[in-house]
Amino acid sequence: MTTRKHILKYICILAISLLLPTLATAQNKKVTEVEETDSTAFFNGFAVSGDLVGLLQLGVGDYGQFEAALRINLKDRWFPIFELGYGKGKHNDEVTLINCEAKAPYGRIGCDFNLLKNKHDIYRFYIGARYAYTNFKSTFTHPGVPDPKWGGDAKWEIRDVASYYHWAEFVIGVDASVMGPIHLGWSVRYKKRLAYDVGDNGNAWYVPGFGLSGSTRLGGTFNVIIDI
C-alpha cells in the first residue's frame, strides 16, 4: 500500500512538472495577446493640408486652383475628408480668337482607407473616393470680325453663363511623416462626370476643381499635411 502511495505521489509530481511550463506558456501568450490588442482611440485626431499642384498650374498654365483639406483620423485606418478650393481659368484660342473665362469655389467630400498592414507606420498607402460639386459662371468674348456691309468689327460676347458640375473621384495616394506632425503626400485621381448643365451655350472650357470640361479627367495633388 505504501509503495502504491509513493508511486501515485511521483506520478502527481511528474504531471505537475509537465503541466507547469504549459500553463506558463499559455499565460505568457495571453499576456502578449493583451499587449498586442489595438489601443488606438477611435477618434485619433485630424489634419489640415494644402495642395501645391494647383498653385503650380496657376503659375505656369491657363488654369489652376487654391485648395485646402480637413482630414479626420479614425484609428489610423479610415480618413473621412472634406476638400474646399477655388478654381479659375482663362484661355484665348489662337485659332478662333475666342477668350474663355471661369472662376468659382468647389467642394469635395469622401473617405480614404489605409491599406498598409501596419496602420501605425509613418507611411500610409490608401485608396479613396470623393463626391464633388461646383456651381460656376463662364464668359466668352471675341474681338470681332470685319463687317462687310457696315464696316468696322462686329464684336460679340456671352457673359455669366450659369453652369454646374457633379462628379466622382477615385483616389490612390501615399503620405509619409517627414518631421514631427508634418507629412508630405501625393495622390492620383480619376474624375468621372455624373451630371452637369452648362447653359444654352452648350459647353464650358474650364470647370473649377474638375479641370478642362469633358466626361472624364485624370488629375493629381501634392500635399503638405499637418497633424493636429
Side-chain angles (χ1 to χ4, degrees), residues 138-160:
S138 297
T139 294
F140 303 88
T141 59
H142 192 282
V145 294
D147 189 320
K149 183 175 182 179
W150 305 105
D153 292 333
K155 299 180 180 181
W156 66 266
E157 61 182 25
I158 304 173
R159 292 193 172 273
D160 297 332

Side-chain angles (χ1 to χ4, degrees), residues 48-57 65-69 71 83 108 126 171-176 178 182-189 219-226:
V48 294
S49 65
D51 171 43
L52 301 182
V53 171
L55 295 177
L56 180 62
Q57 289 177 318
Q65 61 274 336
F66 306 93
E67 182 176 304
R71 183 171 69 181
E83 298 167 337
R108 306 188 194 99
Y126 56 86
V171 182
I172 297 177
V174 298
D175 72 51
V178 293
I182 301 175
H183 296 243
L184 295 179
W186 56 263
S187 72
V188 176
R189 302 177 175 220
T221 63
F222 185 84
N223 299 307
V224 178
I225 308 161
I226 301 176

